[in-house]
Amino acid sequence: MFNDSFRDECLNVHWFLSLTNAQEKIEHWRQEYNSFRLHSSLKNLTPNEVVAAATTVELQNA
């Protein structure tokens, strides 16, 4: 699923003018993907929300 989204929403949409330009555009897409987009495989949470919840549970169990 990630590879399909990455190709469809990033690689197929952008022209990369240089390696630096590609790195910037890909990083922007990755940040959006992990910070704002809900993932059905994560019970409609963002990956960042899952990490934060797991960290909270780990701290409570320590």
Side-chain angles (χ1 to χ4, degrees):
M1 184 62 131
F2 172 84
N3 289 337
D4 292 338
S5 297
F6 180 62
R7 183 180 58 247
D8 291 343
E9 298 169 14
C10 187
L11 298 179
N12 289 347
V13 174
H14 297 289
W15 286 81
F16 303 115
L17 304 175
S18 66
L19 180 58
T20 302
N21 180 255
Q23 291 169 329
E24 291 169 354
K25 289 178 179 177
I26 290 168
E27 180 60 16
H28 177 77
W29 183 87
R30 190 187 67 77
Q31 289 293 331
E32 178 188 333
Y33 186 84
N34 287 329
S35 300
F36 303 108
R37 295 188 42 183
L38 305 178
H39 296 258
S40 59
S41 63
L42 301 176
K43 298 182 180 178
N44 289 322
L45 297 173
T46 68
N48 287 350
E49 290 172 326
V50 172
V51 169
T55 302
T56 301
V57 169
E58 287 177 10
L59 291 174
Q60 290 173 350
N61 293 334

